[in-house]
C-alpha cells in the first residue's frame, strides 16, 4: 500500500494528460491527490506506535551493485508524509482558477507530490537520490513558467543551488557505498554497519557532503540566498509546497541520515552548527521585520523558524555519547520534528493567505499599502491573525508546542546558546504583531473598500490548516506519540 500511496499522484498526472476539458483535468488532479491522502490515512490507522520501521516493501532492483527498491514508514517519516498529502491537496484546491497551461501545471504538482513522498519513505540511497533530484524539476518549471516577473532568474538560482548540494551529497553516498561490506545502498544496513566509523577523515568528508546538501535545502544561514527569490517569484501553490514541504527535506535528511550515520563527526561540529542555527534565527527575524513585501516577510520568517529546527537537531548531536543528556536530546529532537510539521502547516497557510490578497484582490503585497482591513475582510483577518499568532509561538497554537520542546531540550545540552536563541522569539513576535497592526488595524483604507472576503474555495483550502494549528496546539499528544518513538530510538543509538 505504501508504494500505491507514493505513485497514485503520478498515475493521476499521467492520466490527466489524455484529457482536454479543464474540469476533467482539475477533477483528476484533485481525485488522485485525495486518493493518495486516503491511503496515507489508512496507513496511519495501521501504524504501530511502539514499532520501528514499518510497512516495509522491498524488492531487488539492480542486484549486481546492491541497489533495491525499498520503502518504509516510521515515526519520523509518517508525520511528514501526512503533511505532504494535506498541503498537496489544498494546493490543488487553491489552484482551481489557474488557466495558463493547466494540464502541465497540474501534472507538475502531482509529479512533485510523488517525488516528495518518495523522499520521505525511501530506504535505499539510490532510490532516495532519484526522488530527491526529481523534486527539483517540477518546482523549477512551476517557478519558471507560472512565477513572477523575475521567474527565470529565481528558477535557475533555485535549481543551481540545490543541484550543487545534491552533487555534494552524492560524494557522501558513494563514500558510504564503497566502504560498506557488503557494498550496498540499503539505508538501514548502512546505519547498522557504520562503514566510515573507523576512518574519521572519510567520515568528515562524507558528513560535510551531506551537510551542504541538507543545509542548502533547509536553508541554513548563509546558504539561504536562493530562498527569498524563489518564494517571491513562485506561484502561490509553489510557495506553499516550497515552504511547507521542500524545506523539510533538508531537516529530514539531518535527522534520518546525518545523525545516525556520522554521530562522532556531527558531535564534533554540533556547536558550530548550533551557532549557524542561531544566526539564522536572529538574522531571519530581523530581516523579516525590515521587509515591505508581505511574501518576502513570510519567506525570511522561514529562515528564522528553520533555525529553531536546526538548534534542536544540533542539541541532539552534541549529546552523543552522554547518557545523562539523552532525555534533553530526545526532547529537543521531538521539538525539531514537531516544528517541521508545525512550520509546514503555519507557513504553508501564510503563503496561501498572501496569495488570497495578491492573486485575486489587491494585486499588491506592500505591507504599508494596506491598513484597516479588519473592518473590510473579517474572515480573512481572523484566519491571518491565527496563522501569524501560531507562527510567533503563542501558547495554545501549534508553533508554541514545537518551540517550547526545542528550547526545553536545548537548555539541557547547551544553555547559553539556547538562551541566545530566545532573542529570536522576541523579535519574531514583535515582527508579526507589527505586521498585523499595519495590515488589519487602524482606520480602513478607502482604496480597499470594495474588496471581497474569502470565498468558499479559499476556505476549503485554509480552514483545515487553521484547524490543525489549533487542534495540535491544544492537544499535541497524538502527533508527539508518533514522533517520540522514532526520536527515542535515534537518541538511544547515539549513547
Amino acid at each position: 500500500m505504501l508504494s500505491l500511496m507514493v505513485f497514485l499522484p503520478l498515475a493521476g498526472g499521467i492520466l490527466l494528460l489524455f484529457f482536454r476539458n479543464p474540469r476533467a483535468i482539475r477533477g483528476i488532479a484533485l481525485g488522485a491527490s485525495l486518493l493518495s491522502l486516503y491511503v496515507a490515512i489508512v496507513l496511519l490507522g495501521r501504524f504501530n506506535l511502539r514499532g520501528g520501521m514499518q510497512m516495509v516493501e522491498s524488492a531487488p532492483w539492480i542486484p549486481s551493485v546492491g541497489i533495491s527498491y525499498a520503502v518504509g514508514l516510521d515515526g519520523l517519516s509518517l508525520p511528514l508524509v501526512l503533511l505532504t498529502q494535506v498541503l498537496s491537496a489544498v494546493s490543488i484546491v487553491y489552484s482551481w482558477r489557474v488557466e495558463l497551461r493547466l494540464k502541465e501545471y497540474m501534472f507538475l504538482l502531482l509529479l512533485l507530490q510523488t517525488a516528495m513522498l518518495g523522499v520521505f519513505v525511501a530506504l535505499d540511497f539510490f532510490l532516495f537520490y532519484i526522488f530527491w533530484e526529481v523534486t527539483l524539476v517540477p518546482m523549477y518549471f512551476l517557478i519558471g513558467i507560472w512565477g513572477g516577473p523575475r521567474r527565470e532568474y529565481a528558477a535557475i538560482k533555485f535549481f543551481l543551488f540545490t543541484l550543487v548540494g545534491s552533487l555534494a551529497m552524492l560524494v557522501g553516498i558513494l563514500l558510504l557505498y564503497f566502504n560498506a561490506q557488503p557494498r550496498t545502498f540499503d539505508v538501514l544496513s548502512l546505519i547498522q554497519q557504520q562503514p566510515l566509523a573507523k576512518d574519521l577523515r572519510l567520515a568528515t568528508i562524507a558528513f560535510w557532503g551531506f551537510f551542504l546538501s541538507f543545509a542548502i535545502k533547509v536553508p541554513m544561514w548563509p546558504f539561504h540566498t536562493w530562498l527569498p527569490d524563489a518564494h517571491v517569484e513562485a506561484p502561490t501553490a509553489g510557495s506553499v509546497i516550497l515552504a511547507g514541504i521542500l524545506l523539510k527535506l533538508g531537516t529530514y535528511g539531518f535527522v534520518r541520515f546525518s545523525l545516525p550515520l556520522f554521530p562522532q563527526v556531527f558531535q564534533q561540529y554540533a556547536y558550530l552548527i548550533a551557532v549557524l542555527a542561531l544566526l539564522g534565527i536572529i538574522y531571519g527575524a530581523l530581516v523579516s521585520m525590515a521587509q515591505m513585501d508581505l511574501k518576502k516577510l513570510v519567506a525570511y520568517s522561514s529562515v528564522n523558524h528553520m533555525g529553531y529546527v536546526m538548534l534542536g537537531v544540533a542539541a541532539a548531536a552534541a549529546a552523543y555519547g552522554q547518557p545523562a543528556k539523552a532525555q534533553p536530546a530526545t526532547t529537543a529532537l521531538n521539538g525539531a520534528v514537531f516544528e517541521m510539521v508545525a512550520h509546514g502547516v503555519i507557513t504553508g497557510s501564510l503563503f496561501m493567505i498572501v496569495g488570497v490578497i495578491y492573486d485575486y484582490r489587491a494585486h499588491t503585497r506592500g505591507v504599508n499599502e494596506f491598513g484597516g482591513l479588519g473592518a473590510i475582510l473579517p474572515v480573512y483577518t481572523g484566519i491571518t491573525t491565527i496563522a501569524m499568532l501560531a507562527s510567533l509561538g503563542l501558547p495554545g497554537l501549534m508553533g508554541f508546542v514545537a518551540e517550547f520542546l526545542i528550547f526545553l531540550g536545548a537548555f539541557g545540552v547547551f544553555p547559553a546558546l539556547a538562551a541566545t536563541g530566545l532573542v529570536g522569539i522576541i523579535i519574531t513576535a514583535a515582527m508579526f504583531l507589527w505586521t498585523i497592526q499595519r495590515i488589519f488595524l487602524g482606520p480602513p483604507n478607502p482604496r480597499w473598500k470594495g474588496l471581497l472576503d474569502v470565498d468558499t474555495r479559499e476556505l476549503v483550502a485554509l480552514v483545515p490548516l487553521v484547524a490543525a494549528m489549533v487542534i495540535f496546539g491544544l492537544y499535541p499528544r497524538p502527533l508527539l506519540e508518533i514522533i517520540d518513538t522514532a526520536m527515542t530510538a535515534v537518541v538511544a543509538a547515539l549513547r
Side-chain angles (χ1 to χ4, degrees):
M1 284 192 77
L2 195 52
S3 298
L4 178 67
M5 178 198 75
V6 171
F7 290 104
L8 261 174
L10 178 59
I14 294 171
L15 179 63
L16 67 78
L17 293 178
F18 296 97
F19 289 81
R20 291 185 177 178
N21 185 312
R23 181 174 292 184
I25 291 170
R26 294 186 181 103
I28 292 169
L30 183 59
S33 185
L34 288 177
L35 204 54
S36 184
L37 170 60
Y38 171 75
V39 177
I41 293 170
V42 172
L43 292 173
L44 172 65
R46 297 179 181 179
F47 189 78
N48 180 4
L49 286 177
R50 297 181 181 177
M53 190 61 70
Q54 302 169 42
M55 304 165 198
V56 174
E57 296 171 8
S58 179
W61 187 1
I62 312 175
S64 58
V65 289
I67 295 174
S68 61
Y69 172 83
V71 292
L73 270 182
D74 68 353
L76 172 60
S77 50
L78 180 58
L80 295 170
V81 162
L82 292 169
L83 175 71
T84 303
Q85 299 283 29
V86 172
L87 286 184
S88 298
V90 298
S91 294
I92 289 173
V93 172
Y94 180 85
S95 304
W96 215 247
R97 290 180 183 168
V98 169
E99 294 179 354
L100 174 67
R101 301 173 70 173
L102 175 67
K103 185 183 293 186
E104 294 96 321
Y105 183 90
M106 289 299 178
F107 172 79
L108 291 170
L109 280 184
L110 292 170
L111 173 61
L112 190 55
Q113 185 176 354
T114 283
M116 293 183 298
L117 290 171
V119 168
F120 291 133
V121 302
L123 294 179
D124 182 279
F125 266 124
F126 186 78
L127 183 65
F128 169 80
Y129 195 78
I130 288 176
F131 281 128
W132 180 277
E133 290 295 283
V134 170
T135 61
L136 301 184
V137 179
M139 184 51 73
Y140 169 78
F141 285 112
L142 283 170
I143 298 173
I145 297 174
W146 291 272
R150 297 173 67 244
R151 53 186 178 272
E152 290 91 355
Y153 168 77
I156 291 172
K157 191 174 181 181
F158 160 77
F159 195 93
L160 289 179
F161 263 72
T162 44
L163 183 64
V164 168
S166 299
L167 294 175
M169 178 170 64
L170 184 60
V171 173
I173 293 173
L174 292 177
L175 283 174
L176 287 167
Y177 173 75
F178 284 111
N179 286 277
Q181 289 297 333
R183 288 178 179 174
T184 179
F185 288 97
D186 185 286
V187 171
L188 299 181
S189 174
L190 288 169
I191 290 174
Q192 193 173 17
Q193 280 192 41
Q194 297 277 322
L196 301 179
K198 294 179 181 177
D199 191 332
L200 199 58
R201 182 178 59 87
L202 285 182
T204 303
I205 295 171
F207 170 80
W208 285 112
F210 278 93
F211 175 86
L212 184 61
S213 181
F214 298 150
I216 288 173
K217 192 72 94 177
V218 169
M220 288 185 72
W221 185 91
F223 306 103
H224 66 283
T225 57
W226 63 269
L227 181 84
D229 292 312
H231 271 312
V232 169
E233 299 304 323
T236 297
S239 293
V240 171
I241 291 176
L242 188 60
I245 310 166
L246 284 184
L247 305 189
K248 312 303 173 300
L249 267 55
T251 48
Y252 171 81
F254 276 116
V255 179
R256 171 69 74 207
F257 304 119
S258 299
L259 269 177
L261 281 169
F262 316 105
Q264 286 177 298
V265 183
F266 207 157
Q267 184 200 35
Q268 191 176 341
Y269 296 103
Y271 282 85
L272 171 63
I273 293 168
V275 170
L276 292 180
L278 283 177
L279 288 170
I281 289 171
I282 296 171
Y283 169 85
L286 285 173
V287 176
S288 185
M289 182 178 271
Q291 297 307 311
M292 293 297 113
D293 183 320
L294 187 56
K295 201 171 187 185
K296 198 174 275 190
L297 181 152
V298 178
Y300 275 107
S301 77
S302 288
V303 178
N304 162 264
H305 283 92
M306 297 312 286
Y308 296 135
V309 178
M310 288 311 301
L311 183 66
V313 175
Y320 169 68
Q322 303 176 65
K325 293 186 178 179
Q327 185 54 50
T330 307
T331 304
L333 217 45
N334 280 337
V337 179
F338 199 95
E339 177 72 20
M340 291 184 210
V341 181
H343 178 265
V345 172
I346 296 167
T347 306
S349 67
L350 283 174
F351 275 115
M352 210 171 285
I353 283 164
V354 175
V356 167
I357 198 74
Y358 176 76
D359 293 339
Y360 304 114
R361 287 171 179 78
H363 305 297
T364 179
R365 299 189 298 256
V367 178
N368 289 337
E369 294 182 49
F370 297 105
L373 282 188
I376 302 170
L377 310 173
V379 178
Y380 179 78
T381 302
I383 290 173
T384 307
T385 303
I386 292 173
M388 288 189 173
L389 292 178
S391 192
L392 67 83
L394 188 77
L397 296 170
M398 206 173 178
F400 171 77
V401 179
E403 291 171 16
F404 180 80
L405 291 174
I406 288 171
F407 282 99
L408 184 66
F411 263 103
V413 180
F414 28 54
L417 290 180
T420 308
L422 290 174
V423 176
I425 291 183
I426 297 168
I427 301 171
T428 305
M431 179 269 292
F432 274 119
L433 291 175
W434 190 34
T435 304
I436 290 171
Q437 179 195 331
R438 286 182 288 172
I439 296 177
F440 299 111
L441 305 182
N445 185 339
R447 181 181 173 188
W448 311 119
K449 191 178 178 182
L451 288 188
L452 297 176
D453 214 332
V454 286
D455 59 26
T456 304
R457 176 187 60 87
E458 291 158 350
L459 282 175
V460 168
L462 283 167
V463 167
L465 302 179
V466 175
M469 293 175 211
V470 177
I471 291 169
F472 291 115
L474 294 173
Y475 189 59
R477 183 176 168 181
L479 181 54
L480 275 176
E481 282 185 342
I482 294 173
I483 296 169
D484 183 62
T485 304
M487 295 306 100
T488 301
V490 170
V491 173
L494 298 177
R495 290 180 186 175

